[in-house]
């Protein structure tokens, strides 16, 4: 059984000894501690990622949603499935009117361009623009080098395992988010 936090024992001290803080994961077995520490690190990764995203947005006069939009457009384009503005709105969970503002702002700053490519000329696809790519390379290049350095410390099988774990955690978060967005029954 896990140790309780008492008035004489502070939350930080209890956490160091493995006792759960109210509302957080228990840490009373080696497995529970490992799981709680993974969640802690995922939360820390999320916070640091958000800080970098906000720094990029602030430095380039963009709204924080703009970076999410850029990442979605880039990911889709790399996968060979460019997005329309409507698809981007659904992906970001915002209205089509709001996505128009995002796309207009990104286009004005040189990050995106609209393209009527493909067989259906009525469809307008969003493409990552070269000026935006150059800005992103300059800003995120040092982070890419740091990430490469971290990954060099892992073997091929370890990287496959970490990728699988992160993908499944991202899927769990996406499923939870989808539930939060759906109307309650």
């Amino acid at each position: 059984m896990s140790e309780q936090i008492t008035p004489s024992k502070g939350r930080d001290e209890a956490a160091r000894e493995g006792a759960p803080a109210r509302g957080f994961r228990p840490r009373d077995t080696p497995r529970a501690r490992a799981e709680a520490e993974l969640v802690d690190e995922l939360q820390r990764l999320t916070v640091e990622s958000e800080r970098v995203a906000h720094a990029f947005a602030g430095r380039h006069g963009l709204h924080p949603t703009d970076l999410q939009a850029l990442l979605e457009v880039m990911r889709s384009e790399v996968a060979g499935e460019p997005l329309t503005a409507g698809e981007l709105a659904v992906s970001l969970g915002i209205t089509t009117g709001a996505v128009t503002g995002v796309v207009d702002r990104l286009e004005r700053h040189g990050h995106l361009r609209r393209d009527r490519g493909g067989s259906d000329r009525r469809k307008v696809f969003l493409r990552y623009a070269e000026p935006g790519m150059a800005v992103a390379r300059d800003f995120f290049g040092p982070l890419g080098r740091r990430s490469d350095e971290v990954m060099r410390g892992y073997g091929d099988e370890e990287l496959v395992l970490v990728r699988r774990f992160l993908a499944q955690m991202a899927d769990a978060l996406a499923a939870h988010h989808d539930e939060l967005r759906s109307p309650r029954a």
Side-chain angles (χ1 to χ4, degrees):
M1 183 168 254
S2 65
E3 183 179 352
Q4 297 298 313
I5 298 173
T6 63
S8 63
K9 186 174 281 197
R11 188 174 297 276
D12 291 341
E13 182 182 347
R16 280 192 301 277
E17 293 177 8
R22 181 176 290 164
F24 295 94
R25 291 176 163 270
R27 297 170 189 241
D28 53 353
T29 66
R31 170 76 184 205
R33 272 191 297 284
E35 288 176 359
E37 288 168 2
L38 274 171
V39 169
D40 291 347
E41 291 302 324
L42 286 171
Q43 290 170 342
R44 189 168 75 95
L45 178 66
T46 300
V47 167
E48 294 301 329
S49 178
E50 286 292 317
R51 288 175 57 194
V52 170
H54 285 284
F56 178 83
R59 214 175 260 188
H60 299 287
L62 302 174
H63 186 276
T65 304
D66 298 347
L67 183 58
Q68 293 174 347
L70 280 172
L71 291 172
E72 287 296 322
V73 168
M74 182 180 64
R75 237 189 319 269
S76 296
E77 199 165 354
V78 166
E81 301 171 0
L83 293 173
T84 64
E87 291 165 337
L88 180 60
V90 169
S91 177
L92 295 176
I94 61 177
T95 66
T96 54
V99 88
T100 298
V102 169
V103 171
D104 287 347
R105 196 167 42 246
L106 291 171
E107 189 175 44
R108 193 170 45 252
H109 284 85
H111 294 287
L112 287 185
R113 62 183 172 82
R114 290 174 166 104
D115 179 30
R116 289 193 182 275
S119 58
D120 185 351
R121 302 286 296 159
R122 294 171 297 173
K123 272 194 169 183
V124 178
F125 295 102
L126 304 175
R127 305 283 185 176
Y128 213 81
E130 183 52 44
M133 285 188 237
V135 166
R137 274 192 301 271
D138 289 345
F139 185 89
F140 290 105
L143 176 58
R145 289 187 289 281
R146 286 183 173 101
S147 298
D148 290 345
E149 184 178 323
V150 169
M151 288 188 278
R152 278 193 294 275
Y154 292 84
D156 294 349
E157 295 83 16
E158 290 173 308
L159 287 176
V160 168
L161 179 65
V162 170
R163 192 214 61 80
R164 191 179 95 214
F165 172 78
L166 290 174
Q168 290 174 344
M169 291 303 285
D171 290 345
L173 279 169
H176 184 65
H177 185 246
D178 288 347
E179 284 178 15
L180 295 172
R181 289 192 312 179
S182 69
R184 292 193 173 180

